[in-house]
Amino acid sequence: MPGTIGTGFPGVFISLEGCDGSGKSTQMARLSRRLESLGLSPVITREPGGTPFGERIRQLLLDPDSPDRSILSETLLYAAARCEFVSKIVRPALAEGRIVITERYADSTWVYQGYAGGVPLSTIETLNAIATGGLEPDLTLVLDIGEERVVNERLATKRKDKIERRSGEYHQKVREGYRQLARRYPHRVAYVDGGLDVHSVEAIIWQEVVNILSKKGYDLTDEKRGRESL
Ligand SMILES: Nc1ncnc2c1ncn2[C@@H]1O[C@H](COP(=O)(O)OP(=O)(O)OP(=O)(O)O)[C@@H](O)[C@H]1O
Ligand SMILES: [Mg+2]
C-alpha cells in the first residue's frame, strides 16, 4: 500500500474549498477535533502558505496594501507557493501515512484566477499540474453558498483581504465557478451546503470523510484500538 511508512495507514489528502466566508476554517477546526478524538493526528494546513516562503507569498497576494498586479502574475505566484507547499508539506506527510487537510488548494486557482479571473482554464490546469506534480486530493469538500447575502453577513466585520475586496460580480463568478468544479473533477469533489448551520455542515462533512477513510482502509469504529496494536 502506498504511503504506509510511518503509521501503518495510507496517507489521505483532503482539501476544503469554497468562497470567502463559506465556513472552511470553522469546519477545518471541527474536522480536526473529530479526527484527534479518534487518536489520529491530521496535518492541518492552508494555501497559499503552509511554508515560510508560502506565507510570504500569501502576504504579497492577500495584503490589502499589496500592489496591483495582472491576474496572470497573481496565478504564477499562487503556483510558486503551491509548488513549495506540495514538496515541503503535503508529500512528506502523505509519505508518513498522515491525513493532510488543507484549506484551499489548486481548485481555488481554477475558480478565482481561472473561472472568475479569466485566465484560460487550460493554462491554470497546466500550471497546477506543474506546481503539484499531478498530486490531486483524494477528496475535495466544496462548501457551496448560493446567496451573496449569506457571505456578506458573515464577513461584515472582517477586515477584507485584497481578493475579498473585488467586485460583487467577481465573487458571484467565484460561487458559480465552484459549482462547475464537479463537472471537471467528478471523481473527487463533494458538495456541502455551506448555508446550513455549523453543526449540520460538520455532520455532512464527517460522513464524507468517513467514506473516504473507509475506502482507504481505515476502520474508524475501531480506530483507537487499531492504532494501539501497531
Ligand atoms: N454554517 C455557518 N453558519 C453561520 N455562520 C458561520 C457558519 N460557518 C462559519 N460561520 C461564520 O462565518 C464567518 C466566516 O467563517 P470562516 O472563517 O470559517 O470562513 P472561511 O471560509 O474560512 O473564510 P475565508 O475564506 O475568509 O478564510 C465566521 O464568523 C464564522 O463563525
Ligand atoms: Mg478561512
Side-chain angles (χ1 to χ4, degrees), residues 8-204:
F9 287 98
V12 183
F13 187 25
I14 299 171
S15 60
L16 255 128
E17 290 280 353
C19 67
D20 304 277
S22 55
K24 299 179 295 299
S25 300
T26 304
Q27 295 300 331
M28 286 271 286
R30 285 165 179 264
L31 175 56
S32 170
R33 275 204 296 276
R34 280 189 183 241
L35 290 167
E36 279 162 9
S37 75
L38 291 173
L40 296 163
S41 51
V43 174
I44 301 298
T45 186
R46 68 174 183 182
E47 256 220 52
T51 66
F53 182 73
E55 289 293 331
R56 293 275 282 273
I57 296 181
R58 180 185 182 93
Q59 209 177 6
L60 197 54
L61 284 164
L62 298 181
D63 184 343
D65 300 325
S66 184
D68 290 339
R69 64 281 175 142
S70 75
I71 195 84
L72 184 57
S73 306
E74 182 174 296
T75 305
L76 293 166
L77 270 186
Y78 273 105
R82 184 159 303 133
C83 189
E84 281 295 296
F85 177 74
V86 169
S87 63
K88 302 260 171 64
I89 307 284
V90 184
R91 284 194 190 276
L94 293 177
E96 286 176 6
R98 307 278 299 274
I99 297 169
V100 180
I101 308 173
T102 180
E103 176 168 350
R104 298 196 180 283
Y105 185 55
D107 295 329
S108 282
T109 306
W110 195 91
V111 170
Y112 280 78
Q113 284 70 41
Y115 191 89
V119 177
L121 292 173
S122 57
T123 304
I124 301 276
E125 287 170 8
T126 301
L127 286 170
N128 276 341
I130 292 169
T132 64
L135 181 70
E136 284 197 9
D138 296 295
L139 171 67
T140 298
L141 295 155
V142 175
L143 294 179
D144 181 44
I145 301 280
E147 286 181 67
E148 189 180 6
R149 179 187 55 78
V150 174
V151 281
N152 284 347
E153 281 169 16
R154 290 188 192 173
L155 296 176
T157 57
K158 188 184 174 194
R159 181 174 183 257
K160 292 200 168 105
D161 68 32
K162 185 94 179 165
I163 292 183
E164 286 165 345
R165 286 168 194 232
R166 288 185 181 155
S167 68
E169 194 186 338
Y170 178 83
H171 289 289
Q172 172 63 29
K173 289 211 82 173
V174 166
R175 288 193 297 280
E176 275 170 37
Y178 273 118
R179 295 188 164 185
Q180 296 296 323
L181 259 188
R183 294 195 188 162
R184 183 71 187 91
Y185 304 104
H187 52 290
R188 63 173 167 84
V189 174
Y191 283 95
V192 179
D193 183 350
L196 296 175
D197 67 274
V198 174
H199 297 286
S200 303
V201 176
E202 179 182 352
I204 296 168

